[in-house]
Amino acid sequence: MPISGPVLHRQLLAAYTDAQSHLEAARFELTSMSGQRSELGENRGETLMQLAEHYLPELSHEAIQSTWREVQPGVTSILLRKQNRQRELTDLLHQRDAVRVAADTELLEINERLDEATQNQDEVSQQVESRLRQDEKFVELSDRAAIAELALERAEANLQEIEQDAARKLPDFENSSLFCYLRDRNFGERTYKHRGFTRRMDRSLAKFINYAEARTSYDFLSQTPVQMRKIIAEDRAALDTVLDELERRRDDVASELGLPACIETVRQLTIQRGEKVAQLETVRGEMQDLQTQLTALEDKRGPYYQDAIRVFREMLENYDTRHLEMRSLETIEITDDQIVAKLMGIDSSIDRLDNEAHARRKKIDAMQDYLTGIGRLIQQFRAARFDSSRSQFIGSWDLYEELSRVREPQDFDDVWSKIRQFQRWGPTAVEQVTAVATHPMTQVLINAMAHAAGAALSEHARNAGNRRTSSRRW
């Protein structure tokens, strides 16, 4: 059973919301791991303080405490700035997401109104066509337009044939010096003035090259297309007169039944839809930028992390764990061994947590790429107008299954290809006869003419209507 465009559109929106929720949950887990990492760092600092007090008895406690008080504010300041920036970006992201949700809802409402208005326009168009097909004068004019169109088509085909023939043969005449000599002297015409020997020589030359027959062919090839174009222009003008009267009758009926107002409603809603889609594209770009900045905060190459690492290294540059382990083995007492063992256990936990955080960050990067891909897919879907109720998707194709198989950003191109592959348009009542016209009023005219003309002339009536591109601004 076919799936309608609005249903698939809502599935895409649901997939986007789910992906965003999973991304936020993953970020929350990473934030929790960051808290654990900070706690381990504090424990390590306390352990280093104990070890420093044990190994450095000649230094005063006040001096050691003074050193830690000088370093700790720097690290704390960096972490606070990072956390503040995270909160700021998260708040902005939530604000933009609220705008996205509201705009998505508004777009769905606009789509429903546009579909309803389009359906109403189609129904009124059918009523206009029905009235016109019952108008005897409109039927007569449609037949006249079809006959004129048939004559025009034949004349245009003949003109094209003659022009092609002329393009092939005229260069032979122009390249013949003997023919051009006699032509330029106006031989055989009243304006030819030469006498005596020159006249006799020109006659001999004309006989030699059969100039009379050649000149007849030359004149036909060079003059006939010009004359035919004039006749065709006159025939087109006559057809335009008939089409003008047909349009006038269509306009009278369309105005009586309110078709222009229906068309204007569809036009306005189409504009609103375009503006809403553009707004959503802007919001999507802003959210993607905020997501990228949030992810960058967790990157080891990010500025906040690098600042913290620099301060942390400065703080620990005199406390090498392996060196402390060797020192502890040189002593008889076990206090320092216990402290170093505790320090090594903390280092091991930190390494494990860092590895887990690294894996988590890679997962977040992949989830953000996935979210970005769905967002781009939604924009492509809307830009193609696939969210219209006229849009249908055939077969047993499962969108969720396709999205579950996405592993790389380029996989979304395959999903989009399948969306286009399975998409079909359900024709409107007007488009069932013609899909060529660019304006609904022109479509109504062509459709009515095609039905009003006799069966043998129906196609020619449609072609006649297609010649007319309305210059009116509705």
Side-chain angles (χ1 to χ4, degrees):
M1 182 176 181
I3 303 174
S4 70
V7 170
L8 201 65
H9 184 209
R10 286 186 172 88
Q11 290 180 1
L12 284 170
L13 294 178
Y16 184 92
T17 300
D18 290 344
Q20 187 173 30
S21 298
H22 293 155
L23 179 58
E24 291 180 354
R27 283 213 173 95
F28 178 78
E29 293 176 3
L30 187 60
T31 301
S32 299
M33 295 174 69
S34 177
Q36 298 175 36
R37 179 64 166 77
S38 298
E39 184 177 350
L40 287 171
E42 292 176 1
N43 292 338
R44 191 177 193 280
E46 294 174 357
T47 303
L48 285 172
M49 176 66 77
Q50 297 173 15
L51 194 60
E53 292 175 347
H54 179 79
Y55 277 129
L56 302 173
E58 68 276 16
L59 297 176
S60 67
H61 181 72
E62 291 78 9
I64 295 175
Q65 289 293 329
S66 175
T67 301
W68 279 98
R69 282 197 297 269
E70 292 173 358
V71 175
Q72 190 65 35
V75 177
T76 303
S77 175
I78 293 173
L79 293 176
L80 287 175
R81 284 195 290 115
K82 174 184 174 182
Q83 292 168 358
N84 288 336
R85 183 57 177 165
Q86 284 178 317
R87 284 192 293 269
E88 178 184 347
L89 291 174
T90 300
D91 289 343
L92 288 173
L93 183 60
H94 288 162
Q95 292 173 13
R96 301 317 295 162
D97 188 52
V99 173
R100 178 192 67 81
V101 171
D104 276 336
T105 302
E106 291 172 4
L107 180 61
L108 292 173
E109 293 175 354
I110 291 174
N111 284 340
E112 292 177 358
R113 290 163 55 199
L114 179 57
D115 290 337
E116 182 181 349
T118 302
Q119 178 65 28
N120 184 49
Q121 175 184 302
D122 292 342
E123 292 174 357
V124 176
S125 296
Q126 286 182 327
Q127 295 172 16
V128 172
E129 293 169 19
S130 178
R131 286 273 295 274
L132 290 174
R133 290 197 296 268
Q134 298 171 11
D135 184 344
E136 293 182 0
K137 185 62 176 178
F138 186 88
V139 172
E140 177 192 343
L141 290 170
S142 297
D143 286 340
R144 285 174 54 188
I147 294 172
E149 171 64 24
L150 177 59
L152 264 177
E153 291 173 359
R154 291 173 177 172
E156 289 170 345
N158 291 335
L159 174 60
Q160 183 179 9
E161 183 178 352
I162 292 175
E163 287 180 332
Q164 291 175 350
D165 199 29
R168 289 194 308 269
K169 296 179 179 179
L170 282 177
D172 293 337
F173 291 102
E174 299 294 345
N175 293 331
S176 172
S177 58
L178 297 179
F179 176 82
C180 291
Y181 164 79
L182 293 174
R183 182 198 62 186
D184 295 343
R185 294 170 71 89
N186 298 323
F187 181 81
E189 301 177 19
R190 292 182 179 181
T191 54
Y192 181 78
K193 303 297 183 182
H194 298 283
R195 297 287 185 271
F197 177 77
T198 300
R199 189 182 187 92
R200 290 195 297 275
M201 290 300 297
D202 288 347
R203 284 177 177 173
S204 298
L205 178 60
K207 184 177 181 180
F208 175 72
I209 66 172
N210 195 9
Y211 177 75
E213 182 179 346
R215 182 59 189 263
T216 300
S217 298
Y218 176 80
D219 289 344
F220 177 80
L221 293 173
S222 59
Q223 297 175 12
T224 302
V226 176
Q227 296 171 354
M228 290 187 67
R229 279 192 287 269
K230 290 181 180 178
I231 295 173
I232 288 173
E234 293 172 356
D235 290 344
R236 284 176 179 167
L239 176 58
D240 283 341
T241 300
V242 176
L243 291 173
D244 287 341
E245 179 62 18
L246 285 165
E247 282 190 341
R248 187 188 66 77
R249 289 180 172 274
R250 174 209 60 192
D251 293 347
D252 290 345
V253 176
S255 297
E256 180 183 345
L257 296 179
L259 181 57
C262 295
I263 294 173
E264 177 62 19
T265 299
V266 171
R267 189 183 74 85
Q268 290 293 339
L269 287 171
T270 301
I271 293 174
Q272 292 179 29
R273 182 186 180 280
E275 292 173 347
K276 191 58 61 177
V277 169
Q279 179 191 1
L280 280 164
E281 175 62 18
T282 300
V283 173
R284 187 190 70 82
E286 293 172 348
M287 291 181 65
Q288 181 177 342
D289 180 61
L290 291 171
Q291 296 278 14
T292 300
Q293 292 184 58
L294 275 170
T295 301
L297 289 178
E298 304 297 342
D299 189 351
K300 283 189 175 182
R301 292 171 293 182
Y304 292 103
Y305 190 85
Q306 291 300 322
D307 286 348
I309 288 296
R310 176 181 55 79
V311 173
F312 191 73
R313 284 178 178 174
E314 290 175 358
M315 183 177 61
L316 298 179
E317 62 182 359
N318 294 322
Y319 301 96
D320 182 84
T321 304
R322 289 175 296 176
H323 175 71
L324 294 175
E325 182 183 15
M326 293 175 59
R327 288 287 303 273
S328 68
L329 294 175
E330 295 174 358
T331 62
I332 298 176
E333 56 187 12
I334 63 172
T335 303
D336 54 350
D337 296 319
Q338 294 172 339
I339 296 174
V340 171
K342 179 181 178 181
L343 184 62
M344 293 178 67
I346 293 174
D347 285 346
S348 176
S349 298
I350 289 175
D351 290 340
R352 176 185 56 77
L353 198 61
D354 285 345
N355 290 333
E356 292 178 2
H358 177 70
R360 180 67 62 179
R361 276 191 291 270
K362 290 182 64 177
K363 182 178 179 181
I364 287 176
D365 289 341
M367 294 173 71
Q368 181 173 330
D369 289 340
Y370 183 83
L371 183 67
T372 300
I374 293 181
R376 187 176 67 251
L377 196 63
I378 291 173
Q379 292 305 121
Q380 290 175 310
F381 193 86
R382 290 166 173 166
R385 194 64 178 89
F386 287 172
D387 53 346
S388 167
S389 62
R390 285 185 52 225
S391 178
Q392 296 181 347
F393 297 84
I394 62 174
S396 57
W397 180 61
D398 190 335
L399 174 62
Y400 286 116
E401 182 180 350
E402 288 295 331
L403 292 175
S404 69
R405 288 199 290 263
V406 170
R407 294 295 180 269
E408 301 292 337
Q410 57 267 26
D411 292 343
F412 282 102
D413 294 334
D414 296 333
V415 177
W416 174 239
S417 296
K418 289 190 176 181
I419 288 177
R420 296 178 60 186
Q421 175 185 349
F422 292 107
Q423 191 273 342
R424 297 291 186 274
W425 290 108
T428 64
V430 173
E431 292 169 339
Q432 290 174 358
V433 172
T434 176
V436 179
T438 58
H439 192 278
M441 291 288 281
T442 308
Q443 288 182 340
V444 168
L445 177 66
I446 295 173
N447 204 16
M449 288 174 61
H451 282 100
L457 297 174
S458 177
E459 187 65 27
H460 300 298
R462 181 180 296 111
N463 293 339
N466 282 327
R467 286 183 184 270
R468 173 58 58 96
T469 55
S470 179
S471 60
R472 294 178 58 179
R473 295 185 180 180
W474 304 96

